[in-house]
Structures are given as structure tokens and as C-alpha cells.
Amino acid sequence: MSNIFKNAVTSVKDGFKGFGDRQSKKFHDFVNRGPKENLKNLGEFALNNIVPIIFIVFCAFAIPISGQPFSSVVRDVVTRLMRNSFLVLSLLIPIMAGMGLNFGMTLGAMAGQIGLILVSDWQVVGIPGLMLAAIISIPISIVLGWFCGTMLNKAKGREMVTSYMISFFMNGVYQLVVLYMMGSIIPIASNSLLLPRGYGIRNTVNFAGTKGSLGMRKSLDNFWSFNIGTIQIPILTILIIALLCIFILWFKKTKLGQDMRAVGQDMEVAREAGIKVERTRVLAIIISTVLAGFGMIIYLSNMGTLNTYNSHSQIGMFSIAALLVGGASVSKANIRNAFLGIILFHTMFIVSPYAGKNLIGEAQLGEYFRVFVSYGVITLSLVLYEVKARRAKGHQAKELKEAQEKMLKNKETAEVIA
Amino acid sequence: MSENVSVFAKAGSSIKAKFISFGNGIVTFFKTPSSYVKLGSVLAIIGLAIVLFFVGKEHQFLLDNNTIEINGKSYSSLNLVSAKIDNSDFIEIPRRTRMNNFQTGQSHKITLNYIENGQEKELVTKFKVPASEKNTLISLPALIAGADQSEWMSEFLSVQAPVPDEPAVEDDMAMDMDGMDMAF
């Protein structure tokens, strides 16, 4: 146990040291290079980070136009950062294993929701309720993650679209369980959860607690927090998110983490090296699904209400969009991308309706804009990734051709000399 | 016919092999020390879940200050009783009223402040509630009179009225997966 802790601390230290070293190296390189070279690098940097740059520029314009007080925007962004971070971070491990953006995280979200529904029925409230929901979600997430991972192993190279389709399929299974089996086969006693017909869960499940009941809403955020002005800083939630970040940093250095990176870089080489590729990929999806289940519980406890049949499907799309906005790609993502993405994406979500209203007199335009942006950013990132991949492939082919020509030339010269 | 027999024999031997391999797997599992750690972890998580269930289970207490007759004995209501359960705030319960209080866990402590014969008195009583009990009725006059726990505490069975659907409070990202909700 102490070894694990030591390793985790070393990982975090190395992470910070590595970051510092990289930045100082970049600075030295910048000073040593000429202005022309720097300009070229700046262009390359802009091209590589086009999505976050677009969002930063958009937010810089939209915040003053929206007319919202800066403190109010910050308060909303902090709330959303606490609410969404765990979910977005849960996407990092499959990317590390080369499986792209895991749309299958909605499966974990479903598991979390089932846990919360059962706990609500049993009237277990507060932090024990959330922890119990998390424990209930674990086996469901493992089974769903195993299923998703096994399917993705059969569709290598097309993981994203396959996981997207699996999420649709599982949504049907989830509805079957929640709409027909809960209350008829799975015992549910509470009338406030059941539909008037006697089975199936209502469209809305309230975690706030009514008529003096304690409930589960914000129990995590309110347990240990302080205020800076009007902004609530929930320390326990921050600690949980920090713990996940440490786990991810530590996990990268473990044998399994290294295996995942090797599989992500080249499956065939990893297989030759003796890594069980399929098993590693399934494990990546299982870990992501379990974390997504926990993330959904944190998200819903902050919201206070569960939209039984929609919450999970919305959350997958927006978590992925947020990660991409932070500068992640299908093949590369890190913790920095996750946090930057959440801040930028949600700032856009907060200010765009007001900006639309002040600019054109229609809040609806802002609503359209953010829907358009969330899908647009996923499309843009996928297109950019494909363009980069093709360019890299082209570059590789060109290098190979040059090397072959050089080799032929050398051979001819050697023959002439002989 | 003989072909069918051989097919069945093959299937039988395959199932037998699978059973043997499954059995060997279980034997190997119990031979490796790390398996016990895994098994222990799973059991610990199940244990934690059980503890969390009992610790976090919410109970509604109905603090009743009505005149009541139990087993032929009448307990008269008091003018005013201040009551608190565990660390909650005191609530004042006038004559012929009933107040509710929500608490988690099974073991509780009720503190009552009341006036008897012109003197202010305090009564502290510890009690346990079964985990399955959702609503518990506590008769304060019977408790103050020193009745048995089975007399002053009983399960309150309420008839659940149909609950109307509440509007969903959502993140303002809310929309359908295809975004059409907003478009039309």
C-alpha cells in the first residue's frame, strides 16, 4: 500500500518536473531559434491547437457581449467544472490505449443512474447514498464495459462509431430494464419513483429530498466547502477529482498503463512484444466505464435531478466535445486538455444565449449556436485528425521514397565504381 | 445414426473438458495467494455497501403530542414539548399536533424538554429503529409517562398518494441526442 502511495507521489512529482522541463526547453529553443523559424513554429502551433484557439477567441468576444457579470460567469464555470470533470477525465484511458473517444461511456452513465435509482428507492441519503450507488454501479459497469470492449475488439480501427452504436443499443436495454422491469421484476417500493401504472420509473427522479427529507443533492459539494464571494468551492469534490488525476498519472506508469500505451501506438508491435492486446483493450474500456459511472453519480448529485431516459445520452456527447475543445485529439489527450476543455466549452454554453440575445435580440440563436458548436467541434476535430494522419502518412511515404531513391543511387554508384 | 452418436459424444467430451478446465481454474484460483487478496477486496466492498446501507438509511420520525390510549391505559397530551432527535435543532410541538423529523441510521437519541408540575424537565432516551421501518411514530405523552418502548414507538404505515410528475431540472445543455428538440 505504501509502495503504491510512493509510486503515485513519484508519478505526480515526475509529471510536474517533466512539465517544467518541457516548458524551459521550449523557452530555450524559442530564444535560440531565429524569428523566421519561430513564426513557422507559431503557425504550426496554431494549426495544432485550432479548436481551443477558436474557443478562446469566441469566449473573449462573447463574455463582454453577453453583459453577464464576470463573477457570475466564473461561478457557473466553477460549478460546471466540479460537475463534469470526473466524467471527462474518464475518457482519457481508452485514448491512451488507442481506442479513440469512448462513446461507450454512456454505458457507465447508465450504470450510475441505475445505482442512484435503487439507492433513492431504499432511501439511503447523503454521502453514504452516493457511495452505495457507486458500489452498485461497479459490477454493472464492469459487465457493460466488458461487453463494449469485446465488441470493439471485433471492430478494430472503427472503435468510435462502434461504441456510438453500442451506446444506442444499450440505451434500448436500459429502457427495457428501467421502463418495464423496475417495479415488476426488480422491486421498487416508492410511489414517487414509479409511474402511476405501477411499474417503470418516472421521467424525473428527484434527489433533492422533499418535506424536510435529507436527500442526496449536493451532499458531496456541501459536505466540506468554503465560499469566495458568491463562488462555492467544494473541497471534497476537488479532492475526489484530484485523486482521479493522481490515479491517471500513476496508472500511466504501471505495467498495465505502459501496455496500453504500447497497444495504442502499434497493436502488432505490442503483440509481438508479448502484450495481450485484446485483454488490455477490454480493460481500458472497463476502467473507463467504471469511472464514467462514478462521474455520472457526481454529476447527478450536483444537479439534484435525474432525467431518467435522457441524461446518459446527453452526457457522452458533451463530455467528448469538452475534451476535444481542450485540444485533445482521437489519439492524444491529457488532463490539461480535459480541464481547459471543460472551462472553454462551458463558458461558451453559459454566455452564448445572452450574447445571442444582446446581439440580435434572440436568445434562441445562442441556443442554436451552442448545439451547432458542440457537434461542429467534434466534426472539426475528427476532420483535423484525419487530415493530420493523412499528412503524416504522405510525409512518411515521401521520406521512404527519398530513402529508396538514395539507396538506388548509392547502389548504381557502387556498381559504376566496381 | 452412428454419425449422430459420434456428434453427441464429441459434444459431451467438449462439455466435460470445459467443466474440467473450469474446475482446474477454481483450484488454481484458490492456490494463488493474490486470489485471496482479490476475494478479500470484493468481500470488503460488499461489507462496506452493507454498512453504508444501514448508516445512510433515512427514517422519518413523527413526533406526536396527542392523547393516546395504549393497552387500555390513557396518556394525556402535554401543553408544549420541545423535542430533538440526535443533533437536530429543537422543535416545539404544541398540544394535539404532530411534527416530523428525518434522520439517518438506526441508533438514535431523543431529547425532550417539557414542563411538569410547574417544573422544567428534560428526558433523554436512546432507541433503535429497524432498518426496514420507513416511518416511525413516537408518542411523546407515552414516552414521558415511562411506557415501554413497544408502546411509545410504532411503525406508521401511510397510504402513498399518487405523486405528480415533476419537471426535470437539467443542465442547460439539455437536448436530445440529435438536437432536434431545440430546432423545432
Side-chain angles (χ1 to χ4, degrees):
Chain A
M1 197 68 185
S2 66
N3 273 346
I4 291 173
F5 182 71
K6 269 182 193 170
N7 285 345
V9 171
T10 321
S11 304
V12 174
K13 268 187 185 171
D14 288 354
F16 277 113
K17 196 171 171 285
F19 180 73
D21 289 349
R22 278 197 303 276
Q23 298 314 312
S24 88
K25 192 176 174 294
K26 273 181 190 172
F27 180 72
H28 281 292
D29 287 350
F30 181 78
V31 171
N32 293 335
R33 275 192 304 257
K36 203 177 168 186
E37 185 77 9
N38 277 335
L39 209 65
K40 195 184 159 195
N41 282 349
L42 199 70
E44 218 165 86
F45 173 81
L47 196 71
N48 286 338
N49 296 284
I50 188 78
V51 180
I53 289 169
I54 290 171
F55 268 78
I56 289 169
V57 171
F58 174 81
C59 291
F61 281 103
I63 293 172
I65 293 170
S66 71
Q68 289 296 297
F70 189 67
S71 62
S72 140
V73 175
V74 172
R75 189 188 58 219
D76 287 354
V77 169
V78 168
T79 309
R80 283 154 180 267
L81 188 68
M82 298 305 139
R83 191 188 289 167
N84 292 282
S85 294
F86 208 99
L87 276 164
V88 178
L89 287 167
S90 75
L91 290 165
L92 296 183
I93 288 173
I95 294 175
M96 200 163 84
M99 301 180 82
L101 300 158
N102 178 25
F103 283 92
M105 72 174 287
T106 48
L107 274 57
M110 288 173 203
Q113 287 176 193
I114 290 174
L116 279 173
I117 290 170
L118 291 176
V119 165
S120 292
D121 183 50
W122 300 337
Q123 289 183 311
V124 183
V125 294
I127 292 177
L130 294 178
M131 284 172 74
L132 186 58
I135 292 173
I136 293 166
S137 79
I138 292 172
I140 306 170
S141 292
I142 289 174
V143 172
L144 292 177
W146 171 81
F147 171 76
C148 185
T150 313
M151 287 292 126
L152 296 186
N153 273 342
K154 294 186 194 304
K156 285 190 193 107
R158 282 171 177 75
E159 284 90 353
M160 281 200 292
V161 70
T162 313
S163 62
Y164 195 49
M165 286 302 128
I166 290 173
S167 75
F168 276 117
F169 164 65
M170 271 302 161
N171 192 28
V173 178
Y174 169 82
Q175 289 194 8
L176 179 76
V177 172
V178 176
L179 198 55
Y180 292 102
M181 288 163 80
M182 284 196 170
S184 55
I185 298 170
I186 303 164
I188 300 285
S190 173
N191 265 3
S192 58
L193 288 176
L194 285 176
L195 287 165
R197 68 181 183 198
Y199 63 90
I201 302 297
R202 286 168 186 267
N203 284 328
T204 314
V205 176
N206 192 357
F207 302 126
T210 48
K211 296 172 191 168
S213 167
L214 305 169
M216 276 186 282
R217 184 171 189 262
K218 289 214 166 192
S219 49
L220 204 62
D221 297 337
N222 293 340
F223 180 75
W224 186 15
S225 68
F226 67 90
N227 282 10
I228 300 176
T230 54
I231 304 163
Q232 189 195 22
I233 311 291
I235 298 173
L236 188 60
T237 316
I238 292 172
L239 280 178
I240 291 170
I241 294 163
L243 217 63
L244 178 62
C245 293
I246 292 169
F247 169 76
I248 291 168
L249 288 175
W250 167 76
F251 184 75
K252 276 184 185 173
K253 302 213 163 175
T254 59
K255 164 85 172 64
L256 185 61
Q258 296 288 347
D259 284 358
M260 279 183 195
R261 288 168 85 169
V263 170
Q265 275 166 13
D266 196 318
M267 266 190 272
E268 291 313 313
V269 173
R271 204 190 306 278
E272 290 298 317
I275 296 169
K276 291 175 183 169
V277 174
E278 276 73 24
R279 181 179 171 271
T280 310
R281 283 163 56 92
V282 171
L283 282 175
I285 292 291
I286 289 177
I287 294 170
S288 172
T289 313
V290 171
L291 291 178
F294 295 167
M296 194 65 185
I297 290 166
I298 293 173
Y299 174 88
L300 289 173
S301 83
N302 182 283
M303 292 295 299
T305 317
L306 161 68
N307 187 344
T308 315
Y309 302 100
N310 273 335
S311 288
H312 53 279
S313 50
Q314 287 161 11
I315 212 64
M317 187 62 75
F318 288 108
S319 299
I320 287 166
L323 188 63
L324 291 173
V325 166
S329 74
V330 175
S331 59
K332 205 178 170 191
N334 56 35
I335 294 169
R336 207 169 52 239
N337 297 138
F339 287 115
L340 179 66
I342 297 166
I343 291 169
L344 290 176
F345 189 66
H346 286 278
T347 306
M348 187 273 292
F349 257 91
I350 294 158
V351 296
S352 62
Y354 298 105
K357 194 180 172 190
N358 290 344
L359 214 60
I360 301 160
E362 287 239 11
Q364 195 67 17
L365 188 86
E367 299 277 352
Y368 286 137
F369 183 75
R370 50 195 205 178
V371 174
F372 153 75
V373 163
S374 54
Y375 289 99
V377 75
I378 296 176
T379 315
L380 180 66
S381 299
L382 296 179
V383 169
L384 280 176
Y385 173 74
E386 196 56 37
V387 168
K388 272 185 208 167
R390 284 191 183 189
R391 198 188 283 175
K393 219 175 174 181
H395 194 68
Q396 261 182 349
K398 204 178 160 187
E399 275 182 355
L400 194 71
K401 199 182 165 189
E402 279 173 4
Q404 276 177 337
E405 278 171 1
K406 208 175 169 184
M407 212 170 71
L408 276 171
K409 233 179 205 176
N410 287 345
K411 208 177 170 185
E412 277 169 15
T413 322
E415 276 174 8
V416 169
I417 291 168
Chain B
M1 187 69 183
S2 62
E3 270 178 23
N4 281 345
V5 170
S6 74
V7 167
F8 280 122
K10 265 187 189 172
S13 64
S14 158
I15 291 168
K16 195 180 167 189
K18 275 185 183 166
F19 265 110
I20 290 168
S21 133
F22 180 70
N24 287 341
I26 290 174
V27 171
T28 321
F29 181 85
F30 283 106
K31 270 183 182 172
T32 44
S34 66
S35 306
Y36 288 98
V37 177
K38 286 176 194 167
L39 200 67
S41 309
V42 171
L43 290 175
I45 290 171
I46 292 169
L48 177 67
I50 293 166
V51 170
L52 288 170
F53 176 82
F54 286 110
V55 169
K57 173 86 180 170
E58 188 182 52
H59 299 277
Q60 181 179 204
F61 295 103
L62 298 157
L63 304 169
D64 187 68
N65 189 11
N66 281 298
T67 300
I68 190 168
E69 196 177 303
I70 305 166
N71 298 335
K73 196 175 173 189
S74 178
Y75 300 97
S76 306
S77 60
L78 291 102
N79 268 337
L80 184 73
V81 186
S82 294
K84 74 164 187 172
I85 297 178
D86 299 334
N87 294 321
S88 65
D89 294 332
F90 272 104
I91 34 175
E92 290 192 339
I93 307 155
R95 191 187 289 270
R96 285 192 293 277
T97 53
R98 184 183 283 174
M99 298 282 196
N100 67 354
N101 187 296
F102 287 89
Q103 294 297 331
T104 57
Q106 284 188 281
S107 300
H108 301 281
K109 186 175 83 176
I110 183 167
T111 310
L112 302 177
N113 284 334
Y114 59 97
I115 293 169
E116 195 179 59
N117 303 327
Q119 275 189 323
E120 198 173 305
K121 289 192 173 177
E122 187 182 82
L123 176 71
V124 181
T125 312
K126 287 181 179 175
F127 62 97
K128 276 192 172 186
V129 197
S132 58
E133 209 166 285
K134 196 174 162 186
N135 304 311
T136 304
L137 182 76
I138 296 177
S139 169
L140 300 179
L143 173 62
I144 289 167
D148 190 62
Q149 185 174 325
S150 60
E151 290 177 341
W152 58 260
M153 194 176 93
S154 57
E155 186 175 7
F156 182 80
L157 296 168
S158 62
V159 178
Q160 289 187 349
V163 184
D165 239 346
E166 284 179 53
V169 179
E170 288 173 332
D171 214 339
D172 46 10
M173 300 186 298
M175 60 174 192
D176 271 357
M177 222 165 174
D178 54 6
M180 299 308 277
D181 249 15
M182 285 198 163
F184 298 101

